Amino acid sequence: MDNHPFVDPLLTSKIVDIVDVESRDHLLNNRIPIERFRQFVALRSDPAAISVLLTAARAALKPIDALLSDPSTGPYLHGNKPGHGDFVLFGEYAYARINPSLIRHVWESEELQGVKTWVNIFLKSRLVDQNSLYTS
């Protein structure tokens, strides 16, 4: 889901809210065109736009959800043990945690039962230190 146009507005404006001043200045002066950033911030108060973005994010995870929902493949993308793809996907989940709406309406969505179950299994696996994960 990284670098998708529907994820940028849901995450970028949140990142700028939580980073230190030097990082914020760098992002706004070198990484994100200011006009684009203003559009992202404006979207935060537009429920219809947010709904479209969340729907697109769920759609992007549908193929992964189908794979994770297949009982013959195991609880992880690579079968009974997590592999590289699981850690990459978990990185996307961990990054999304800066926006509770993404977690609630995408990663924990009833529409994506396979993904939702996978997140719970991964979190319970002790493969990551949950105390180190960002919570908003």
Side-chain angles (χ1 to χ4, degrees), residues 47-60:
I50 291 171
S51 179
V52 167
L53 294 169
L54 292 171
T55 298
R58 284 191 301 274

Side-chain angles (χ1 to χ4, degrees), residues 1 21 26 42 45-46 51 65 81 86 93 96 101-102 111-112 114 122 126 135:
M1 286 182 35
V21 173
H26 174 75
S45 60
D46 184 347
S51 179
D65 185 68
K81 293 184 178 181
D86 293 287
Y93 164 79
S101 202
L102 267 173
E111 188 178 326
L112 299 171
F122 207 95
R126 299 176 59 186
T135 55

Side-chain angles (χ1 to χ4, degrees), residues 2-77:
D2 193 25
N3 294 322
H4 290 288
F6 48 84
V7 174
D8 284 347
L10 295 170
L11 294 176
T12 302
S13 62
K14 292 282 192 180
I15 291 170
V16 173
D17 287 346
I18 62 174
V19 296
D20 60 53
V21 173
E22 292 82 15
S23 296
R24 183 180 193 277
D25 290 345
H26 174 75
L27 286 169
L28 293 176
N29 294 316
N30 301 302
R31 305 290 296 168
I32 308 165
I34 194 68
E35 193 53 42
R36 186 172 185 204
F37 178 71
R38 286 185 183 128
Q39 292 170 347
F40 290 172
V41 171
L43 283 173
R44 293 199 307 196
S45 60
D46 184 347
I50 291 171
S51 179
V52 167
L53 294 169
L54 292 171
T55 298
R58 284 191 301 274
L61 279 174
K62 287 264 187 190
I64 293 170
D65 185 68
L67 185 65
L68 291 169
S69 296
D70 181 353
S72 68
T73 60
Y76 298 103
L77 292 171

Side-chain angles (χ1 to χ4, degrees), residues 90-106:
F90 188 81
E92 294 291 332
Y93 164 79
Y95 181 43
R97 287 174 62 110
I98 66 171
N99 186 331
S101 202
L102 267 173
I103 299 302
R104 189 172 42 258
H105 298 290
V106 177

Side-chain angles (χ1 to χ4, degrees), residues 114-127:
V115 169
K116 181 179 178 179
T117 300
W118 174 88
V119 166
N120 289 327
I121 289 169
F122 207 95
L123 288 172
K124 290 178 184 174
S125 71
R126 299 176 59 186
L127 292 167

